[in-house]
Protein backbone atom coordinates (compact mmCIF):
# COMPACT_ATOMS: atom_id res chain seq x y z
CA UNK A 1 0.00 0.00 0.00
CA UNK A 2 1.19 3.50 -0.79
CA UNK A 3 2.31 5.82 2.00
CA UNK A 4 -0.46 8.14 0.85
CA UNK A 5 -3.71 6.08 0.72
CA UNK A 6 -5.43 8.84 -1.24
CA UNK A 7 -2.92 8.37 -4.06
CA UNK A 8 -4.04 4.76 -4.39
CA UNK A 9 -7.70 5.81 -4.37
CA UNK A 10 -7.10 8.41 -7.09
CA UNK A 11 -5.22 5.91 -9.26
CA UNK A 12 -8.06 3.42 -8.87
CA UNK A 13 -10.65 6.07 -9.69
CA UNK A 14 -8.79 7.08 -12.84
CA UNK A 15 -8.71 3.46 -14.02
CA UNK A 16 -12.46 2.98 -13.57
CA UNK A 17 -13.70 6.49 -14.47
CA UNK A 18 -14.36 5.99 -18.17
CA UNK A 19 -16.06 2.64 -17.59
CA UNK A 20 -18.29 4.06 -14.85
CA UNK A 21 -19.24 7.08 -16.94
CA UNK A 22 -20.07 4.81 -19.87
CA UNK A 23 -22.23 2.67 -17.58
CA UNK A 24 -23.98 5.76 -16.25
CA UNK A 25 -24.66 7.02 -19.77
CA UNK A 26 -25.95 3.62 -20.88
CA UNK A 27 -28.16 3.44 -17.81
CA UNK A 28 -29.61 6.86 -18.53
CA UNK A 29 -30.20 5.99 -22.18
CA UNK A 30 -32.02 2.79 -21.26
CA UNK A 31 -34.40 4.59 -18.88
CA UNK A 32 -37.90 4.06 -20.29
CA UNK A 33 -39.53 6.81 -18.25
CA UNK A 34 -38.83 9.48 -20.86
CA UNK A 35 -41.93 10.72 -22.67
CA UNK A 36 -39.87 11.42 -25.82
CA UNK A 37 -36.63 9.91 -27.08
CA UNK A 38 -35.09 13.37 -27.64
CA UNK A 39 -31.60 14.12 -26.36
CA UNK A 40 -32.91 17.28 -24.71
CA UNK A 41 -34.73 15.28 -22.05
CA UNK A 42 -31.91 12.74 -21.77
CA UNK A 43 -28.97 15.04 -21.06
CA UNK A 44 -29.82 16.11 -17.48
CA UNK A 45 -30.29 12.50 -16.38
CA UNK A 46 -26.85 11.53 -17.75
CA UNK A 47 -25.27 14.29 -15.68
CA UNK A 48 -27.34 13.35 -12.65
CA UNK A 49 -26.21 9.74 -12.87
CA UNK A 50 -22.56 10.72 -13.45
CA UNK A 51 -22.63 13.08 -10.46
CA UNK A 52 -24.21 10.38 -8.32
CA UNK A 53 -21.40 7.99 -9.29
CA UNK A 54 -18.77 10.58 -8.39
CA UNK A 55 -20.44 11.45 -5.09
CA UNK A 56 -20.70 7.79 -4.14
CA UNK A 57 -17.04 7.28 -5.00
CA UNK A 58 -15.68 10.27 -3.04
CA UNK A 59 -17.92 10.00 0.01
CA UNK A 60 -15.91 9.26 3.13
CA UNK A 61 -17.06 6.92 5.84
CA UNK A 62 -18.14 8.98 8.86
CA UNK A 63 -16.07 6.81 11.21
CA UNK A 64 -12.94 7.62 9.19
CA UNK A 65 -13.68 11.33 9.46
CA UNK A 66 -14.23 10.96 13.21
CA UNK A 67 -10.90 9.11 13.64
CA UNK A 68 -9.09 11.86 11.73
CA UNK A 69 -10.76 14.51 13.86
CA UNK A 70 -9.71 12.73 17.07
CA UNK A 71 -6.12 12.34 15.82
CA UNK A 72 -5.97 16.01 14.85
CA UNK A 73 -7.22 17.04 18.29
CA UNK A 74 -4.71 14.70 19.95
CA UNK A 75 -1.85 16.31 18.02
CA UNK A 76 -3.18 19.73 19.00
CA UNK A 77 -3.25 18.75 22.70
CA UNK A 78 0.26 17.33 22.43
CA UNK A 79 1.59 20.49 20.80
CA UNK A 80 -0.16 22.67 23.36
CA UNK A 81 1.63 20.77 26.12
CA UNK A 82 5.10 21.27 24.61
Amino acid sequence: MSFFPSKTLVASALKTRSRRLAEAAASAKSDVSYPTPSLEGLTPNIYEQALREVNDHITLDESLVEKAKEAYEEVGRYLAGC
Side-chain angles (χ1 to χ4, degrees):
M1 180 172 203
S2 171
F3 180 73
F4 299 102
S6 59
K7 181 179 178 181
T8 304
L9 292 174
V10 169
S12 174
L14 289 174
K15 288 179 184 177
T16 61
R17 179 178 53 181
S18 62
R19 179 184 54 81
R20 292 180 139 235
L21 288 176
E23 288 173 358
S27 172
K29 289 178 183 177
S30 67
D31 189 354
V32 295
S33 65
Y34 292 111
T36 62
S38 73
L39 290 177
E40 184 177 315
L42 183 62
T43 304
N45 197 27
I46 290 173
Y47 293 127
E48 177 186 356
Q49 182 68 24
L51 287 173
R52 187 177 301 120
E53 291 284 333
V54 170
N55 284 336
D56 290 345
H57 182 73
I58 64 172
T59 300
L60 293 174
D61 183 22
E62 190 63 36
S63 65
L64 182 62
V65 173
E66 195 60 36
K67 286 180 184 177
K69 177 183 166 186
E70 291 168 4
Y72 182 79
E73 289 174 353
E74 182 180 345
V75 168
R77 285 190 299 272
Y78 174 79
L79 292 175
C82 289

